[in-house]
Structures are given as C-alpha cells and as structure tokens.
Amino acid sequence: GNLVVASGHGIDFSATAHAGGKSSELLDDYEEGSWSPGTGQGTISAQYAKYTKIGRSVTVSALIHNISDQSSSNVFGITNLPFTSNSASRSVGSIMMRYQNNTSLTSCYLTSNTTTMEFYGVTASGWDVALHSDWNNANAEVYFTITYNADS
C-alpha cells in the first residue's frame, strides 16, 4: 500500500544541520493534476494544462491556442493558475510562440499575490508585454512552463 501521512504532518528533514534563516524543514504537501487556463479577455483553448506542487513550489505548463481576441490593445495574460503566488514571489518561465507580432517576447512572468501570468520581452528602453492585438493568425499558440512559490 501507500505511505499515508496525516494532515498537518510530513517528512521532517531537521535531523541534519542546514543553513541559517530556514523557516521549515518539513515537506508536507505533494499534488499534481490538471488546471483550466483562462484569459482576462475573450476565450482560449488549452491542452496539456498540468501542474505539480511540491511543498510551496508549483510548476505549471500548457499549450494555449484558439485565442478569440486578437484585436484589443489590452495586455494578454493567462489567468486561473491553480495556486496564488507568494507575496514575496517573482517568477520567470519559458515560452515558445507562433503567429505573434511581438518578437521581443522571451519569457512568462508572474508577480506576487496573483494567479495571472503575462508574457514579457526586452526593448532598448525597458520591458515589453504581449497584447491581444499581437496575435496575428487563427492558428496562434503559445507553449509555456513556469515554476513559482505559492502561499501555502
């Protein structure tokens, strides 16, 4: 059978010395599953939308396509991440896109206290962010993966 750990307990790694400033040596959570990506405007379709949570560390990935709004100048973001990011968290992940006018975009970005991720790139004068109007084809799509710290 499976090893079952009672709620509120976990694997305790405190038997050996570790760096100062640690807040816990208890691994008390693991789960994996599917999630349902959304967008702030219009609709999207998603495939391969999976997550894994180990302790507070969450990795999500998906393929997004069938982006209905390809005309507004609003920021394009992926909503409904399975866990809210930690208040001190800033995370960057990888993307691969096609049929996207903004060729500076290189990363997905998630800031603190949110469940919305956006796509960013660099310009000569700062950051650039993906807009709905940057998609230029009905076959537009984006693959992404990002790891971030959740609140709990």
Side-chain angles (χ1 to χ4, degrees):
N2 295 327
L3 174 65
V4 177
V5 178
S7 179
H9 298 278
I11 301 170
D12 188 341
F13 291 96
S14 64
T16 58
H18 292 91
K22 67 184 177 309
S23 61
S24 176
E25 292 184 336
L26 185 68
L27 178 59
D28 60 354
D29 192 15
Y30 176 88
E31 71 178 85
E32 57 185 35
S34 304
W35 63 289
S36 299
T39 186
Q41 189 167 320
T43 60
I44 57 174
S45 295
Q47 291 179 274
Y48 320 115
K50 302 289 184 189
Y51 75 90
T52 302
K53 182 175 187 272
I54 303 171
R56 293 184 316 115
S57 182
V58 181
T59 300
V60 296
S61 59
L63 163 63
I64 303 300
H65 57 101
N66 293 331
I67 301 163
S68 69
D69 179 3
Q70 295 186 359
S71 61
S72 78
S73 59
N74 293 335
V75 172
F76 180 82
I78 301 299
T79 61
N80 302 336
L81 292 173
F83 300 93
T84 301
S85 63
N86 180 277
S87 61
S89 183
R90 303 272 191 285
S91 300
V92 176
S94 301
I95 59 174
M96 183 176 72
M97 300 182 184
R98 72 179 189 154
Y99 302 117
Q100 171 53 251
N101 290 329
N102 190 341
T103 58
S104 76
L105 302 175
T106 58
S107 302
C108 47
Y109 176 71
L110 179 64
T111 189
S112 60
N113 292 324
T114 187
T115 58
T116 301
M117 180 188 61
E118 296 172 345
F119 301 108
Y120 278 84
V122 66
T123 68
S125 60
W127 304 106
D128 201 3
V129 64
L131 305 177
H132 281 271
S133 58
D134 291 333
W135 302 104
N136 64 29
N137 187 293
N139 295 316
E141 57 189 11
V142 57
Y143 291 89
F144 65 86
T145 187
I146 189 169
T147 299
Y148 65 97
N149 287 325
D151 276 334
S152 57

mmCIF file of all heavy atoms in Angstrom, residues 45-86:
data_model
loop_
_atom_site.group_PDB
_atom_site.id
_atom_site.type_symbol
_atom_site.label_atom_id
_atom_site.label_comp_id
_atom_site.label_asym_id
_atom_site.label_seq_id
_atom_site.Cartn_x
_atom_site.Cartn_y
_atom_site.Cartn_z
ATOM 1 N N SER A 45 -8.361 28.187 -25.835
ATOM 2 C CA SER A 45 -8.403 26.749 -25.608
ATOM 3 C C SER A 45 -7.057 26.348 -25.032
ATOM 4 O O SER A 45 -6.042 26.995 -25.290
ATOM 5 C CB SER A 45 -8.643 25.996 -26.918
ATOM 6 O OG SER A 45 -9.910 26.299 -27.446
ATOM 7 N N ALA A 46 -7.052 25.271 -24.262
ATOM 8 C CA ALA A 46 -5.811 24.807 -23.656
ATOM 9 C C ALA A 46 -5.691 23.298 -23.802
ATOM 10 O O ALA A 46 -6.687 22.577 -23.751
ATOM 11 C CB ALA A 46 -5.763 25.186 -22.185
ATOM 12 N N GLN A 47 -4.472 22.856 -23.996
ATOM 13 C CA GLN A 47 -4.138 21.439 -23.982
ATOM 14 C C GLN A 47 -2.951 21.259 -23.052
ATOM 15 O O GLN A 47 -2.187 22.206 -22.819
ATOM 16 C CB GLN A 47 -3.747 20.949 -25.375
ATOM 17 C CG GLN A 47 -4.897 20.904 -26.357
ATOM 18 C CD GLN A 47 -4.408 20.440 -27.712
ATOM 19 O OE1 GLN A 47 -3.943 21.255 -28.498
ATOM 20 N NE2 GLN A 47 -4.496 19.154 -27.958
ATOM 21 N N TYR A 48 -2.786 20.066 -22.557
ATOM 22 C CA TYR A 48 -1.627 19.709 -21.735
ATOM 23 C C TYR A 48 -1.475 20.627 -20.522
ATOM 24 O O TYR A 48 -0.361 20.865 -20.075
ATOM 25 C CB TYR A 48 -0.334 19.703 -22.556
ATOM 26 C CG TYR A 48 -0.478 19.127 -23.926
ATOM 27 C CD1 TYR A 48 -0.307 19.912 -25.060
ATOM 28 C CD2 TYR A 48 -0.814 17.787 -24.103
ATOM 29 C CE1 TYR A 48 -0.456 19.380 -26.331
ATOM 30 C CE2 TYR A 48 -0.971 17.250 -25.380
ATOM 31 C CZ TYR A 48 -0.787 18.050 -26.477
ATOM 32 O OH TYR A 48 -0.940 17.528 -27.737
ATOM 33 N N ALA A 49 -2.560 21.168 -20.000
ATOM 34 C CA ALA A 49 -2.502 22.071 -18.846
ATOM 35 C C ALA A 49 -2.347 21.233 -17.580
ATOM 36 O O ALA A 49 -3.310 20.687 -17.055
ATOM 37 C CB ALA A 49 -3.742 22.942 -18.789
ATOM 38 N N LYS A 50 -1.126 21.140 -17.102
ATOM 39 C CA LYS A 50 -0.789 20.295 -15.951
ATOM 40 C C LYS A 50 -0.066 21.120 -14.892
ATOM 41 O O LYS A 50 0.559 22.127 -15.196
ATOM 42 C CB LYS A 50 0.128 19.144 -16.375
ATOM 43 C CG LYS A 50 -0.447 18.255 -17.457
ATOM 44 C CD LYS A 50 -1.575 17.431 -16.935
ATOM 45 C CE LYS A 50 -2.079 16.481 -18.020
ATOM 46 N NZ LYS A 50 -3.290 15.812 -17.621
ATOM 47 N N TYR A 51 -0.142 20.664 -13.652
ATOM 48 C CA TYR A 51 0.626 21.290 -12.580
ATOM 49 C C TYR A 51 1.150 20.214 -11.646
ATOM 50 O O TYR A 51 0.586 19.133 -11.531
ATOM 51 C CB TYR A 51 -0.196 22.320 -11.808
ATOM 52 C CG TYR A 51 -1.206 21.714 -10.855
ATOM 53 C CD1 TYR A 51 -0.850 21.427 -9.535
ATOM 54 C CD2 TYR A 51 -2.493 21.426 -11.266
ATOM 55 C CE1 TYR A 51 -1.770 20.858 -8.669
ATOM 56 C CE2 TYR A 51 -3.417 20.871 -10.406
ATOM 57 C CZ TYR A 51 -3.047 20.575 -9.110
ATOM 58 O OH TYR A 51 -3.950 20.018 -8.254
ATOM 59 N N THR A 52 2.241 20.551 -10.974
ATOM 60 C CA THR A 52 2.788 19.740 -9.894
ATOM 61 C C THR A 52 3.138 20.687 -8.758
ATOM 62 O O THR A 52 3.764 21.722 -8.982
ATOM 63 C CB THR A 52 4.056 18.977 -10.333
ATOM 64 O OG1 THR A 52 3.735 18.156 -11.452
ATOM 65 C CG2 THR A 52 4.594 18.116 -9.203
ATOM 66 N N LYS A 53 2.701 20.351 -7.545
ATOM 67 C CA LYS A 53 3.009 21.159 -6.361
ATOM 68 C C LYS A 53 3.764 20.280 -5.373
ATOM 69 O O LYS A 53 3.268 19.227 -4.965
ATOM 70 C CB LYS A 53 1.735 21.695 -5.718
ATOM 71 C CG LYS A 53 1.982 22.596 -4.514
ATOM 72 C CD LYS A 53 0.653 23.178 -4.020
ATOM 73 C CE LYS A 53 0.860 24.197 -2.931
ATOM 74 N NZ LYS A 53 0.910 23.615 -1.612
ATOM 75 N N ILE A 54 4.976 20.710 -5.012
ATOM 76 C CA ILE A 54 5.794 20.027 -4.019
ATOM 77 C C ILE A 54 6.123 21.057 -2.952
ATOM 78 O O ILE A 54 6.841 22.025 -3.218
ATOM 79 C CB ILE A 54 7.083 19.454 -4.646
ATOM 80 C CG1 ILE A 54 6.743 18.497 -5.790
ATOM 81 C CG2 ILE A 54 7.938 18.766 -3.575
ATOM 82 C CD1 ILE A 54 7.941 18.049 -6.596
ATOM 83 N N GLY A 55 5.586 20.858 -1.757
ATOM 84 C CA GLY A 55 5.707 21.895 -0.736
ATOM 85 C C GLY A 55 5.009 23.151 -1.228
ATOM 86 O O GLY A 55 3.847 23.114 -1.607
ATOM 87 N N ARG A 56 5.727 24.274 -1.265
ATOM 88 C CA ARG A 56 5.156 25.526 -1.796
ATOM 89 C C ARG A 56 5.523 25.758 -3.256
ATOM 90 O O ARG A 56 5.069 26.705 -3.875
ATOM 91 C CB ARG A 56 5.637 26.724 -0.966
ATOM 92 C CG ARG A 56 5.115 26.740 0.442
ATOM 93 C CD ARG A 56 5.516 27.980 1.242
ATOM 94 N NE ARG A 56 6.914 28.364 1.082
ATOM 95 C CZ ARG A 56 7.320 29.500 0.521
ATOM 96 N NH1 ARG A 56 6.463 30.369 0.063
ATOM 97 N NH2 ARG A 56 8.597 29.767 0.444
ATOM 98 N N SER A 57 6.372 24.921 -3.832
ATOM 99 C CA SER A 57 6.841 25.096 -5.206
ATOM 100 C C SER A 57 5.846 24.505 -6.202
ATOM 101 O O SER A 57 5.526 23.313 -6.138
ATOM 102 C CB SER A 57 8.206 24.411 -5.357
ATOM 103 O OG SER A 57 8.709 24.592 -6.653
ATOM 104 N N VAL A 58 5.348 25.348 -7.114
ATOM 105 C CA VAL A 58 4.346 24.940 -8.092
ATOM 106 C C VAL A 58 4.924 25.105 -9.497
ATOM 107 O O VAL A 58 5.443 26.173 -9.832
ATOM 108 C CB VAL A 58 3.068 25.800 -7.987
ATOM 109 C CG1 VAL A 58 2.022 25.359 -9.001
ATOM 110 C CG2 VAL A 58 2.518 25.772 -6.570
ATOM 111 N N THR A 59 4.833 24.064 -10.306
ATOM 112 C CA THR A 59 5.207 24.156 -11.722
ATOM 113 C C THR A 59 3.953 23.941 -12.553
ATOM 114 O O THR A 59 3.239 22.944 -12.362
ATOM 115 C CB THR A 59 6.267 23.099 -12.096
ATOM 116 O OG1 THR A 59 7.435 23.319 -11.292
ATOM 117 C CG2 THR A 59 6.634 23.185 -13.566
ATOM 118 N N VAL A 60 3.669 24.894 -13.447
ATOM 119 C CA VAL A 60 2.529 24.776 -14.358
ATOM 120 C C VAL A 60 3.042 24.827 -15.793
ATOM 121 O O VAL A 60 4.058 25.460 -16.084
ATOM 122 C CB VAL A 60 1.468 25.879 -14.146
ATOM 123 C CG1 VAL A 60 0.835 25.768 -12.782
ATOM 124 C CG2 VAL A 60 2.037 27.252 -14.362
ATOM 125 N N SER A 61 2.311 24.172 -16.681
ATOM 126 C CA SER A 61 2.630 24.222 -18.104
ATOM 127 C C SER A 61 1.343 24.023 -18.886
ATOM 128 O O SER A 61 0.361 23.485 -18.371
ATOM 129 C CB SER A 61 3.666 23.151 -18.479
ATOM 130 O OG SER A 61 3.169 21.874 -18.167
ATOM 131 N N ALA A 62 1.350 24.478 -20.143
ATOM 132 C CA ALA A 62 0.178 24.316 -21.003
ATOM 133 C C ALA A 62 0.516 24.751 -22.423
ATOM 134 O O ALA A 62 1.507 25.444 -22.661
ATOM 135 C CB ALA A 62 -1.002 25.143 -20.489
ATOM 136 N N LEU A 63 -0.338 24.358 -23.335
ATOM 137 C CA LEU A 63 -0.372 24.863 -24.702
ATOM 138 C C LEU A 63 -1.668 25.649 -24.825
ATOM 139 O O LEU A 63 -2.753 25.109 -24.586
ATOM 140 C CB LEU A 63 -0.359 23.725 -25.720
ATOM 141 C CG LEU A 63 -0.786 24.087 -27.147
ATOM 142 C CD1 LEU A 63 0.155 25.101 -27.771
ATOM 143 C CD2 LEU A 63 -0.905 22.846 -28.004
ATOM 144 N N ILE A 64 -1.566 26.942 -25.175
ATOM 145 C CA ILE A 64 -2.727 27.815 -25.351
ATOM 146 C C ILE A 64 -2.907 28.078 -26.840
ATOM 147 O O ILE A 64 -1.944 28.388 -27.545
ATOM 148 C CB ILE A 64 -2.514 29.155 -24.617
ATOM 149 C CG1 ILE A 64 -2.228 28.931 -23.136
ATOM 150 C CG2 ILE A 64 -3.686 30.095 -24.830
ATOM 151 C CD1 ILE A 64 -3.301 28.237 -22.375
ATOM 152 N N HIS A 65 -4.148 27.975 -27.314
ATOM 153 C CA HIS A 65 -4.445 28.259 -28.724
ATOM 154 C C HIS A 65 -5.905 28.700 -28.843
ATOM 155 O O HIS A 65 -6.572 28.891 -27.834
ATOM 156 C CB HIS A 65 -4.136 27.028 -29.601
ATOM 157 C CG HIS A 65 -4.874 25.791 -29.186
ATOM 158 N ND1 HIS A 65 -5.985 25.339 -29.829
ATOM 159 C CD2 HIS A 65 -4.638 24.916 -28.174
ATOM 160 C CE1 HIS A 65 -6.417 24.233 -29.244
ATOM 161 N NE2 HIS A 65 -5.611 23.957 -28.231
ATOM 162 N N ASN A 66 -6.392 28.882 -30.051
ATOM 163 C CA ASN A 66 -7.756 29.392 -30.288
ATOM 164 C C ASN A 66 -8.019 30.671 -29.501
ATOM 165 O O ASN A 66 -9.002 30.795 -28.784
ATOM 166 C CB ASN A 66 -8.822 28.346 -29.955
ATOM 167 C CG ASN A 66 -8.792 27.170 -30.887
ATOM 168 O OD1 ASN A 66 -8.397 27.291 -32.043
ATOM 169 N ND2 ASN A 66 -9.190 26.016 -30.392
ATOM 170 N N ILE A 67 -7.129 31.632 -29.655
ATOM 171 C CA ILE A 67 -7.213 32.903 -28.950
ATOM 172 C C ILE A 67 -8.249 33.771 -29.664
ATOM 173 O O ILE A 67 -8.025 34.216 -30.787
ATOM 174 C CB ILE A 67 -5.831 33.585 -28.903
ATOM 175 C CG1 ILE A 67 -4.827 32.659 -28.196
ATOM 176 C CG2 ILE A 67 -5.921 34.951 -28.240
ATOM 177 C CD1 ILE A 67 -3.378 33.016 -28.429
ATOM 178 N N SER A 68 -9.403 33.995 -29.032
ATOM 179 C CA SER A 68 -10.509 34.674 -29.728
ATOM 180 C C SER A 68 -10.269 36.167 -29.912
ATOM 181 O O SER A 68 -10.622 36.722 -30.942
ATOM 182 C CB SER A 68 -11.829 34.447 -28.984
ATOM 183 O OG SER A 68 -11.836 35.134 -27.748
ATOM 184 N N ASP A 69 -9.706 36.830 -28.901
ATOM 185 C CA ASP A 69 -9.476 38.273 -29.003
ATOM 186 C C ASP A 69 -8.072 38.526 -29.528
ATOM 187 O O ASP A 69 -7.092 38.391 -28.794
ATOM 188 C CB ASP A 69 -9.657 38.945 -27.639
ATOM 189 C CG ASP A 69 -9.397 40.452 -27.688
ATOM 190 O OD1 ASP A 69 -9.137 40.989 -28.790
ATOM 191 O OD2 ASP A 69 -9.446 41.086 -26.621
ATOM 192 N N GLN A 70 -7.988 38.893 -30.794
ATOM 193 C CA GLN A 70 -6.713 39.222 -31.414
ATOM 194 C C GLN A 70 -6.729 40.666 -31.924
ATOM 195 O O GLN A 70 -6.001 41.009 -32.847
ATOM 196 C CB GLN A 70 -6.394 38.248 -32.553
ATOM 197 C CG GLN A 70 -6.189 36.836 -32.068
ATOM 198 C CD GLN A 70 -5.742 35.894 -33.165
ATOM 199 O OE1 GLN A 70 -5.588 36.255 -34.324
ATOM 200 N NE2 GLN A 70 -5.518 34.648 -32.777
ATOM 201 N N SER A 71 -7.555 41.512 -31.288
ATOM 202 C CA SER A 71 -7.653 42.889 -31.768
ATOM 203 C C SER A 71 -7.523 43.953 -30.682
ATOM 204 O O SER A 71 -7.123 45.073 -30.987
ATOM 205 C CB SER A 71 -8.974 43.091 -32.511
ATOM 206 O OG SER A 71 -10.066 42.848 -31.650
ATOM 207 N N SER A 72 -7.844 43.651 -29.445
ATOM 208 C CA SER A 72 -7.798 44.705 -28.428
ATOM 209 C C SER A 72 -6.356 45.021 -28.038
ATOM 210 O O SER A 72 -5.451 44.221 -28.223
ATOM 211 C CB SER A 72 -8.597 44.295 -27.186
ATOM 212 O OG SER A 72 -7.864 43.393 -26.401
ATOM 213 N N SER A 73 -6.167 46.197 -27.477
ATOM 214 C CA SER A 73 -4.828 46.617 -27.048
ATOM 215 C C SER A 73 -4.587 46.294 -25.571
ATOM 216 O O SER A 73 -3.622 46.766 -24.983
ATOM 217 C CB SER A 73 -4.641 48.116 -27.297
ATOM 218 O OG SER A 73 -5.622 48.831 -26.574
ATOM 219 N N ASN A 74 -5.438 45.461 -24.981
ATOM 220 C CA ASN A 74 -5.250 45.052 -23.588
ATOM 221 C C ASN A 74 -4.116 44.040 -23.469
ATOM 222 O O ASN A 74 -3.834 43.289 -24.404
ATOM 223 C CB ASN A 74 -6.532 44.448 -23.026
ATOM 224 C CG ASN A 74 -7.631 45.472 -22.902
ATOM 225 O OD1 ASN A 74 -7.374 46.664 -22.784
ATOM 226 N ND2 ASN A 74 -8.872 45.019 -22.960
ATOM 227 N N VAL A 75 -3.500 43.994 -22.287
ATOM 228 C CA VAL A 75 -2.431 43.032 -22.023
ATOM 229 C C VAL A 75 -3.004 41.616 -22.076
ATOM 230 O O VAL A 75 -4.079 41.345 -21.533
ATOM 231 C CB VAL A 75 -1.787 43.303 -20.652
ATOM 232 C CG1 VAL A 75 -0.809 42.207 -20.271
ATOM 233 C CG2 VAL A 75 -1.091 44.662 -20.655
ATOM 234 N N PHE A 76 -2.284 40.720 -22.749
ATOM 235 C CA PHE A 76 -2.673 39.320 -22.826
ATOM 236 C C PHE A 76 -2.069 38.571 -21.642
ATOM 237 O O PHE A 76 -0.855 38.551 -21.457
ATOM 238 C CB PHE A 76 -2.176 38.691 -24.135
ATOM 239 C CG PHE A 76 -2.542 37.248 -24.275
ATOM 240 C CD1 PHE A 76 -3.803 36.887 -24.718
ATOM 241 C CD2 PHE A 76 -1.639 36.245 -23.951
ATOM 242 C CE1 PHE A 76 -4.155 35.545 -24.842
ATOM 243 C CE2 PHE A 76 -1.969 34.909 -24.076
ATOM 244 C CZ PHE A 76 -3.237 34.557 -24.520
ATOM 245 N N GLY A 77 -2.906 38.001 -20.816
ATOM 246 C CA GLY A 77 -2.427 37.242 -19.667
ATOM 247 C C GLY A 77 -3.148 35.922 -19.550
ATOM 248 O O GLY A 77 -4.252 35.748 -20.067
ATOM 249 N N ILE A 78 -2.519 34.983 -18.868
ATOM 250 C CA ILE A 78 -3.121 33.689 -18.589
ATOM 251 C C ILE A 78 -3.588 33.708 -17.136
ATOM 252 O O ILE A 78 -2.797 33.945 -16.219
ATOM 253 C CB ILE A 78 -2.112 32.540 -18.815
ATOM 254 C CG1 ILE A 78 -1.603 32.540 -20.258
ATOM 255 C CG2 ILE A 78 -2.734 31.198 -18.441
ATOM 256 C CD1 ILE A 78 -2.676 32.331 -21.312
ATOM 257 N N THR A 79 -4.876 33.481 -16.931
ATOM 258 C CA THR A 79 -5.475 33.530 -15.602
ATOM 259 C C THR A 79 -5.750 32.115 -15.083
ATOM 260 O O THR A 79 -5.551 31.134 -15.789
ATOM 261 C CB THR A 79 -6.795 34.323 -15.633
ATOM 262 O OG1 THR A 79 -7.713 33.661 -16.519
ATOM 263 C CG2 THR A 79 -6.580 35.750 -16.115
ATOM 264 N N ASN A 80 -6.231 32.064 -13.862
ATOM 265 C CA ASN A 80 -6.682 30.823 -13.223
ATOM 266 C C ASN A 80 -5.552 29.868 -12.864
ATOM 267 O O ASN A 80 -5.773 28.653 -12.810
ATOM 268 C CB ASN A 80 -7.706 30.077 -14.081
ATOM 269 C CG ASN A 80 -8.917 30.884 -14.409
ATOM 270 O OD1 ASN A 80 -9.263 31.813 -13.696
ATOM 271 N ND2 ASN A 80 -9.559 30.556 -15.512
ATOM 272 N N LEU A 81 -4.341 30.385 -12.616
ATOM 273 C CA LEU A 81 -3.297 29.483 -12.148
ATOM 274 C C LEU A 81 -3.817 28.738 -10.927
ATOM 275 O O LEU A 81 -4.614 29.283 -10.159
ATOM 276 C CB LEU A 81 -2.026 30.253 -11.819
ATOM 277 C CG LEU A 81 -1.310 30.863 -13.027
ATOM 278 C CD1 LEU A 81 -0.160 31.744 -12.568
ATOM 279 C CD2 LEU A 81 -0.805 29.793 -13.960
ATOM 280 N N PRO A 82 -3.402 27.497 -10.705
ATOM 281 C CA PRO A 82 -4.026 26.687 -9.660
ATOM 282 C C PRO A 82 -3.768 27.163 -8.229
ATOM 283 O O PRO A 82 -4.529 26.813 -7.329
ATOM 284 C CB PRO A 82 -3.434 25.295 -9.876
ATOM 285 C CG PRO A 82 -2.221 25.486 -10.697
ATOM 286 C CD PRO A 82 -2.436 26.736 -11.501
ATOM 287 N N PHE A 83 -2.726 27.972 -8.001
ATOM 288 C CA PHE A 83 -2.417 28.485 -6.668
ATOM 289 C C PHE A 83 -1.978 29.938 -6.783
ATOM 290 O O PHE A 83 -1.327 30.316 -7.760
ATOM 291 C CB PHE A 83 -1.293 27.669 -6.005
ATOM 292 C CG PHE A 83 -1.644 26.223 -5.840
ATOM 293 C CD1 PHE A 83 -1.292 25.305 -6.810
ATOM 294 C CD2 PHE A 83 -2.345 25.783 -4.733
ATOM 295 C CE1 PHE A 83 -1.630 23.969 -6.683
ATOM 296 C CE2 PHE A 83 -2.691 24.450 -4.593
ATOM 297 C CZ PHE A 83 -2.331 23.540 -5.569
ATOM 298 N N THR A 84 -2.314 30.744 -5.793
ATOM 299 C CA THR A 84 -1.886 32.139 -5.745
ATOM 300 C C THR A 84 -0.400 32.194 -5.433
ATOM 301 O O THR A 84 0.079 31.484 -4.561
ATOM 302 C CB THR A 84 -2.677 32.904 -4.667
ATOM 303 O OG1 THR A 84 -4.067 32.819 -4.983
ATOM 304 C CG2 THR A 84 -2.257 34.357 -4.594
ATOM 305 N N SER A 85 0.318 33.068 -6.149
ATOM 306 C CA SER A 85 1.753 33.202 -5.901
ATOM 307 C C SER A 85 1.999 33.855 -4.549
ATOM 308 O O SER A 85 1.205 34.654 -4.073
ATOM 309 C CB SER A 85 2.424 33.996 -7.020
ATOM 310 O OG SER A 85 1.925 35.306 -7.066
ATOM 311 N N ASN A 86 3.116 33.515 -3.934
ATOM 312 C CA ASN A 86 3.516 34.020 -2.635
ATOM 313 C C ASN A 86 3.726 35.526 -2.682
ATOM 314 O O ASN A 86 4.119 36.075 -3.708
ATOM 315 C CB ASN A 86 4.806 33.309 -2.219
ATOM 316 C CG ASN A 86 5.324 33.751 -0.897
ATOM 317 O OD1 ASN A 86 6.004 34.764 -0.818
ATOM 318 N ND2 ASN A 86 5.015 33.007 0.135
#
